[in-house]
């Protein structure tokens, strides 16, 4: 017997990240973290948001050092590089148009995440002023 949750998954109910509502940033942040963890390689996606992207390894060819191309990455490095892109995509999909327009130029998930936090919560000084 198919449950309501199964039907929701089949109909795409789990395919979209939660949408940010300006006054509910903390709740959105928690739901986004859970959403990311629930994706394939979720821990790697969340690590990309919290710690930054893969530092691409370099190789030396004919005496010249260069960054590896995607095809030259190890399987684990390739998965992490893909998770870096997925993290950005998930975050951007959860933003309303007016916030998306302000942050869409960021190409690193950690920078994007921090910019959204700053926009929604302000600096610690701004938070103290609001509390007073």
């Amino acid at each position: 017997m198919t449950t309501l949750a199964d039907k929701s998954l089949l109909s795409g109910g789990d395919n979209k990240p939660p949408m940010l509502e300006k006054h509910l940033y903390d709740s959105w942040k928690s739901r986004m973290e859970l959403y990311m963890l629930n994706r394939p390689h979720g821990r790697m996606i969340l690590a990309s948001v919290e710690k930054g992207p893969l530092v691409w390894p370099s190789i030396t060819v004919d005496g010249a050092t260069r960054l590896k191309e995607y095809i030259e990455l190890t399987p684990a490095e390739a998965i992490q590089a893909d998770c870096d892109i997925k993290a950005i995509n998930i975050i951007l999909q959860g933003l309303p148009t007016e916030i998306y327009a302000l942050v869409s130029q960021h190409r690193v998930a950690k920078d994007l995440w921090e910019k959204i936090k700053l926009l929604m919560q302000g600096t610690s000084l701004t938070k103290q002023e609001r509390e007073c």
Side-chain angles (χ1 to χ4, degrees):
M1 181 170 175
T2 307
T3 66
L4 184 58
D6 293 334
K7 288 180 183 177
S8 174
L9 288 174
L10 291 173
S11 67
D14 190 42
N15 291 338
K16 293 184 101 180
M19 187 62 66
L20 172 64
E21 295 178 41
K22 291 180 185 178
H23 60 285
L24 297 174
Y25 170 76
D26 290 330
S27 172
W28 175 81
K29 180 181 181 275
S30 297
R31 290 182 294 130
M32 282 296 275
E33 289 169 347
L34 288 172
Y35 180 85
M36 289 177 200
L37 285 172
N38 195 36
R39 313 295 343 134
H41 306 293
R43 293 196 187 284
M44 293 174 90
I45 293 170
L46 192 56
S48 179
V49 171
E50 293 174 343
K51 298 177 182 163
L54 169 73
V55 177
W56 282 58
S58 58
I59 58 173
T60 303
V61 179
D62 298 327
T65 302
R66 64 169 175 81
L67 292 178
K68 284 185 178 180
E69 294 181 21
Y70 181 84
I71 194 126
E72 298 171 318
L73 296 175
T74 66
E77 291 168 341
I79 290 170
Q80 183 59 58
D82 292 343
C83 287
D84 293 341
I85 301 295
K86 287 178 186 176
I88 295 167
N89 190 26
I90 289 169
I91 295 169
L92 290 175
Q93 286 182 29
L95 298 177
T97 309
E98 62 274 8
I99 303 298
Y100 178 92
L102 296 171
V103 299
S104 63
Q105 73 279 5
H106 291 281
R107 294 292 171 235
V108 174
K110 183 177 182 191
D111 297 343
L112 179 60
W113 195 249
E114 290 170 357
K115 180 68 174 183
I116 294 166
K117 180 180 179 181
L118 183 64
L119 285 170
M120 296 299 107
Q121 292 187 325
T123 64
S124 59
L125 181 62
T126 313
K127 285 175 80 172
Q128 289 173 356
E129 288 173 355
R130 275 187 283 180
E131 290 171 1
C132 289

